[in-house]
Amino acid sequence: NAGVTQTPKFRILKIGQSMTLQCAQDMNHNYMYWYRQDPGMGLKLIYYSVGAGITDKGEVPNGYNVSRSTTEDFPLRLELAAPSQTSVYFCASSYEFSAAYEQYFGPGTRLTVT
Amino acid sequence: EDKVVQSPLSLVVHEGDTVTLNCSYEVTNFRSLLWYKQEKKAPTFLFMLTSSGIEKKSGRLSSILDKKELFSILNITATQTGDSAVYLCAVAGTNAGKSTFGDGTTLTVKP
């Protein structure tokens, strides 16, 4: 199993540009998450999904959109990029009925907006 | 709003020392507390705790939860340079498995 994969690994955007961060998992997890991590900080939840077709906002959803058309894929869309969106973005997934809700993380995408 | 506070924010020790990392929390409908280790890349899972007073151990690492006082500690004995990392504490509620993360403790172990 590849686990959770993310593309691209690095990206530089100009202010106002848009892009999609890709995330896929092959563990048949129902739950998927997008986090951002700013330097020296913990993870902030952007959006999450409990299954195909179902998404919901996390702590910091402004400036982002998501979709979940399949169990495997959970892309994150940035519209009109701003310098405040410079961060490392992690995608994660977990089992639906696990009491632990242990999350499996992708390798991250480092995004710089200038 | 759920909240997780970790202390200290950073810690520098020498190999062989024992360290204790702290995590206090406020969460609605507590389900579990999780510890992750992050070494310049994605977090990797260490422990999951759901019951008070039951210690989880893995080698030199151990953790325990106090649900009455709303905190957990992560102990690392006989530290090694490979233990240098950011240690993240997260609390999961029953709402869709969402976790709230603390800002982490940066541990540096010097030879």
Side-chain angles (χ1 to χ4, degrees):
Chain A
N1 285 351
V4 180
T5 57
Q6 291 183 238
T7 56
K9 291 185 180 178
F10 305 94
R11 183 72 186 266
I12 298 174
L13 280 183
K14 293 185 187 250
I15 294 171
Q17 287 185 320
S18 300
M19 77 164 292
T20 299
L21 281 65
Q22 301 293 342
C23 174
Q25 54 91 10
D26 61 359
M27 296 175 282
N28 204 32
H29 287 171
N30 276 354
Y31 284 38
M32 294 187 76
Y33 314 81
W34 272 107
Y35 294 93
R36 59 176 287 172
Q37 186 176 34
D38 299 331
M41 306 291 283
L43 302 172
K44 300 292 185 188
L45 183 66
I46 305 171
Y47 271 95
Y48 67 99
S49 169
V50 303
I54 307 170
T55 62
D56 206 349
K57 296 177 181 178
E59 302 172 69
V60 290
N62 291 343
Y64 307 94
N65 275 302
V66 293
S67 59
R68 183 100 181 268
S69 56
T70 66
T71 299
E72 294 78 21
D73 300 299
F74 190 39
L76 177 72
R77 177 84 177 160
L78 277 72
E79 304 283 1
L80 298 175
S84 61
Q85 293 178 304
T86 294
S87 190
V88 179
Y89 291 84
F90 290 104
C91 178
S93 68
S94 67
Y95 289 111
E96 178 177 0
F97 295 109
S98 167
Y101 293 102
E102 172 193 344
Q103 295 180 25
Y104 298 80
F105 287 84
T109 294
R110 185 175 296 275
L111 175 68
T112 302
V113 182
T114 60
Chain B
E1 184 178 321
D2 298 345
K3 187 175 179 183
V4 177
V5 178
Q6 293 186 244
S7 64
L9 290 181
S10 63
L11 192 55
V12 179
V13 300
H14 288 92
E15 274 191 318
D17 288 348
T18 293
V19 298
T20 298
L21 310 182
N22 304 294
C23 175
S24 64
Y25 64 90
E26 298 172 20
V27 66
T28 304
N29 298 323
F30 175 88
R31 190 71 184 265
S32 61
L33 184 144
L34 303 101
W35 285 97
Y36 291 87
K37 179 181 182 182
Q38 186 176 26
E39 298 172 89
K40 296 189 184 298
K41 50 189 179 189
T44 55
F45 175 78
L46 292 174
F47 296 112
M48 181 273 292
L49 302 154
T50 57
S51 300
S52 281
I54 299 175
E55 186 183 48
K56 291 284 182 87
K57 283 181 71 79
S58 176
R60 296 176 293 101
L61 279 66
S62 64
S63 184
I64 196 161
L65 174 68
D66 186 329
K67 288 170 72 174
K68 181 179 177 185
E69 300 298 329
L70 307 183
F71 78 90
S72 173
I73 60 172
L74 174 67
N75 279 321
I76 308 175
T77 60
T79 51
Q80 302 171 356
T81 54
D83 294 327
S84 295
V86 176
Y87 291 84
L88 296 169
C89 173
V91 180
T94 52
N95 183 5
K98 291 194 307 180
S99 295
T100 299
F101 282 78
D103 288 339
T105 293
T106 300
L107 174 65
T108 302
V109 181
K110 294 189 171 183

